[in-house]
Amino acid sequence: MMPQLRTLTMMRGTRARILRKICRNCPNLTTLQLHGCQKMNYSLLKYIFEKCPKIEKLIIANNLLADRQYAELVSRLEHLQSLEVFENRRGAGPVVLRFLAATCSKLREINLSCDYHPLEDVEYFVKAKRDTLTSATVRWTMAGKRPGCLPLLQKLDLPHATDLPDDAVVTISRGCPPLRHLSLTFATSLTDGALAEIHRLKHLQILDLSGCSGLGGSAVAHVAQLAALCTLLLQYIDDLTELQPSLRHVLDLKQLRCLDILYSGHIRAVAFEEFSVRLVNLRELHVTYEEEDEVFYKNVFAEMQSQMPRLRIINTFRWTENDFLTDYETDDDDDTDIGY
């Protein structure tokens, strides 16, 4: 009995009668996430949408949107602006993206990180929504060409795009001027040339280059030209010294509030001692260090925090193979089956 409830996230399946009662008493829902284990039929989903007609953001399983009847129900949500499709069932058939592109007139955010849709349908959807799309999480494909200009796009996530070429990022830099959030995690094919024109993204606030192991000595110099950048993620870079000599250009990011280098190695390459003078707006530092360096970095970070009292440092150990027990290292008297 919460008539003003705006967001409902179902973390497990529940009985249909309970879900019906919740939706009947919460007519003002704007965000709904249904769990993948939720038993759903046409009449139940129709009832949910009829009782909660104000839904703006929907998070739903791929197997439901593989059925044209269910997709039609989704298309009747007049206020739907954001759609996230998560992986639930293999072999369920492709999500009917072409139909949704034609019928969901206000849809401007799409998250299609799962694999249950033909790539040509993704390209069709992006092209059809090029003048309204503001946020997209999609699989990268070398088949066909995506449109180079998405004039309203503010967030773009291309996760695990291992074959993403440099010129694709250059095209994004030229064609998506309002971009505020760009994530290229584990794009291992990228080199420094991919960032040559990233300075064109004058509004970019969040940049995630985690796992981009092909970047080298001039990458951070290009990134440092992003005057509005507030958050930089460089996680899972095995050796940060490979970003030298331009790694020092992190100090030129005057608006930087969060630097995240969790799970990256050789962090001594980072000029922590100059942060208090050069990065006065920094509020969060996420960092991982080897256990043998614990004393050294405790002193380094203690000194930093004495000079930057508003800075929050989140740190953890860097695990190695030696940190995990193997079968022959366990106590013979202990019959416990240890698994990691």
Side-chain angles (χ1 to χ4, degrees):
M1 302 298 291
M2 296 179 287
Q4 297 306 315
L5 191 69
R6 295 294 191 273
T7 299
L8 175 62
T9 301
M10 302 300 294
M11 300 302 293
R12 58 175 292 175
T14 188
R15 294 179 180 177
R17 63 179 181 83
I18 296 176
L19 191 55
R20 285 175 181 266
K21 187 170 184 179
I22 292 173
C23 293
R24 183 168 65 248
N25 291 294
C26 302
N28 292 304
L29 279 184
T30 57
T31 299
L32 174 63
Q33 177 174 345
L34 295 172
H35 194 269
C37 293
Q38 179 63 53
K39 292 183 179 179
M40 186 64 62
N41 55 38
Y42 181 86
S43 62
L44 177 56
L45 192 63
K46 182 172 183 288
Y47 183 88
I48 292 172
F49 290 165
E50 286 176 348
K51 297 301 179 182
C52 303
K54 299 179 182 180
I55 292 175
E56 298 175 0
K57 181 176 182 178
L58 179 64
I59 303 173
I60 195 169
N62 66 296
N63 60 294
L64 292 178
L65 288 183
D67 189 306
R68 176 67 174 261
Q69 281 189 313
Y70 288 82
E72 286 179 348
L73 290 178
V74 172
S75 70
R76 295 176 194 173
L77 292 172
E78 296 181 6
H79 303 281
L80 187 65
Q81 299 178 25
S82 176
L83 178 63
E84 180 174 337
V85 184
F86 62 86
E87 177 181 328
N88 184 43
R89 185 184 304 167
R90 290 190 176 275
V95 174
V96 287
L97 286 177
R98 292 175 182 260
F99 173 77
L100 294 173
T103 56
C104 297
S105 60
K106 293 186 178 180
L107 198 61
R108 56 185 179 85
E109 297 182 4
I110 190 76
N111 185 326
L112 299 172
S113 55
C114 60
D115 298 340
Y116 296 93
H117 42 267
L119 295 174
E120 57 270 21
D121 286 0
V122 178
E123 294 187 356
Y124 177 89
F125 184 93
V126 172
K127 290 177 181 178
K129 295 291 185 182
R130 67 178 298 274
D131 292 323
T132 57
L133 205 60
T134 62
S135 176
T137 299
V138 294
R139 290 174 58 213
W140 170 253
T141 171
M142 292 296 292
K145 292 185 178 179
R146 288 228 170 94
C149 182
L150 295 169
L152 297 182
L153 195 68
Q154 296 183 23
K155 179 182 178 182
L156 178 61
D157 187 0
L158 299 173
H160 296 276
T162 54
D163 58 353
L164 186 68
D166 288 354
D167 59 359
V169 181
V170 173
T171 300
I172 292 168
S173 300
R174 294 173 179 173
C176 305
L179 211 59
R180 285 170 166 75
H181 184 156
L182 177 61
S183 181
L184 304 171
T185 55
F186 295 95
T188 52
S189 296
L190 294 184
T191 69
D192 295 359
L195 306 175
E197 298 190 34
I198 201 169
H199 64 272
R200 293 174 177 268
L201 301 177
K202 299 184 183 301
H203 305 286
L204 196 67
Q205 297 176 357
I206 301 173
L207 177 61
D208 192 348
L209 297 174
S210 298
C212 294
S213 56
L215 298 180
S218 63
V220 183
H222 295 307
V223 172
Q225 298 179 57
L226 296 167
L229 197 68
C230 297
T231 299
L232 175 62
L233 293 95
L234 291 170
Q235 296 185 359
Y236 296 100
I237 304 296
D238 290 337
D239 187 354
L240 286 170
T241 61
E242 293 182 359
L243 300 181
Q244 297 283 32
S246 74
L247 185 58
R248 282 187 57 82
H249 285 282
V250 166
L251 300 170
D252 297 332
L253 292 166
K254 305 301 183 184
Q255 301 304 316
L256 196 67
R257 297 183 64 84
C258 177
L259 176 63
D260 189 340
I261 54 173
L262 278 178
Y263 314 115
S264 291
H266 298 97
I267 64 172
R268 293 198 185 204
V270 181
F272 295 118
E273 68 279 1
E274 298 185 46
F275 278 23
S276 61
V277 177
R278 303 285 297 276
L279 296 178
V280 295
N281 290 307
L282 194 67
R283 296 294 178 266
E284 286 190 20
L285 173 63
H286 301 251
V287 63
T288 306
Y289 52 82
E290 282 75 13
E291 187 173 3
E292 58 267 24
D293 294 329
E294 179 183 6
V295 175
F296 173 79
Y297 282 110
K298 275 188 174 181
N299 293 331
V300 170
F301 296 145
E303 178 65 20
M304 283 181 63
Q305 291 201 291
S306 69
Q307 298 173 350
M308 306 175 71
R310 299 175 67 183
L311 175 65
R312 181 177 177 226
I313 299 177
I314 299 94
N315 60 71
T316 184
F317 293 120
R318 184 178 177 87
W319 294 102
T320 67
E321 291 182 1
N322 294 331
D323 294 311
F324 296 94
L325 292 173
T326 57
D327 289 340
Y328 56 82
E329 292 175 323
T330 58
D331 191 336
D332 291 337
D333 295 331
D334 186 0
D335 293 330
T336 305
D337 182 14
I338 300 177
Y340 294 92

